[in-house]
Amino acid sequence: MSEDTGGRRRPGADGAGRSDDPSRPVTAAGRRRRGAADGDETGGSTRVDPARGDKGAPTPARDGRSGSSEGSAIARLRRFLREVVAELRKVHWPTRRQIVVYTVVVLVFVAFMVTLVGLLDVGFQKLTFALFG
């Protein structure tokens, strides 16, 4: 056996652990295709039921519409706003304490950077006056 790039041992590179049967799929995609072609519902097939909405199923079209250009402008705007609200509900909003901590961190960093740039400015000014006086 040999090692692949992930450090795992894989059969095949030196011939050990794998038959040279050309009908046997080597990749996961090949195994899925083989399972779908054989009609094997219990073994190698990883197909899911699209009606149940399982992972891997294609996303169904919403309301039977194919594009967003259909409908009136008011209906599209209302749908857009509904989707915006739905997305905002998914956002993890920080607590008041987190906001205070983040604000203090930003203000301290900005004060540090202003001080650093100011000191460099004064230093370069004195160096310039010393050289060109």
Side-chain angles (χ1 to χ4, degrees), residues 4-51:
D4 65 359
T5 57
R8 296 177 305 246
R9 301 197 48 88
R10 65 178 172 88
D14 57 356
R18 185 178 100 183
S19 67
D20 292 329
D21 183 13
S23 65
R24 182 176 176 195
V26 177
T27 63
R31 287 189 293 275
R32 282 193 297 271
R33 281 193 296 271
R34 181 177 148 208
D38 293 345
D40 182 18
E41 292 299 322
T42 60
S45 177
T46 58
R47 294 231 182 253
V48 293
D49 184 13

Side-chain angles (χ1 to χ4, degrees), residues 2-132:
S2 65
E3 292 187 17
D4 65 359
T5 57
R8 296 177 305 246
R9 301 197 48 88
R10 65 178 172 88
D14 57 356
R18 185 178 100 183
S19 67
D20 292 329
D21 183 13
S23 65
R24 182 176 176 195
V26 177
T27 63
R31 287 189 293 275
R32 282 193 297 271
R33 281 193 296 271
R34 181 177 148 208
D38 293 345
D40 182 18
E41 292 299 322
T42 60
S45 177
T46 58
R47 294 231 182 253
V48 293
D49 184 13
R52 291 189 352 216
D54 290 335
K55 187 173 183 180
T59 305
R62 185 177 292 181
D63 299 333
R65 291 192 282 184
S66 61
S68 62
S69 62
E70 296 178 14
S72 69
I74 299 295
R76 289 193 315 251
L77 179 64
R78 291 173 76 190
R79 180 177 175 207
F80 172 75
L81 292 175
R82 274 196 317 266
E83 290 177 2
V84 166
V85 170
E87 290 297 321
L88 286 175
R89 286 186 182 138
K90 297 178 188 177
V91 172
H92 170 74
W93 296 101
T95 63
R96 179 178 296 271
R97 184 166 189 255
Q98 288 173 328
I99 291 174
V100 169
V101 169
Y102 297 159
T103 303
V104 169
V105 167
V106 167
L107 291 176
V108 167
F109 179 75
V110 168
F112 171 75
M113 291 304 294
V114 165
T115 304
L116 179 67
V117 170
L119 290 174
L120 287 173
D121 184 43
V122 169
F124 285 129
Q125 179 185 12
K126 289 187 180 205
L127 179 67
T128 303
F129 281 133
L131 289 176
F132 301 110

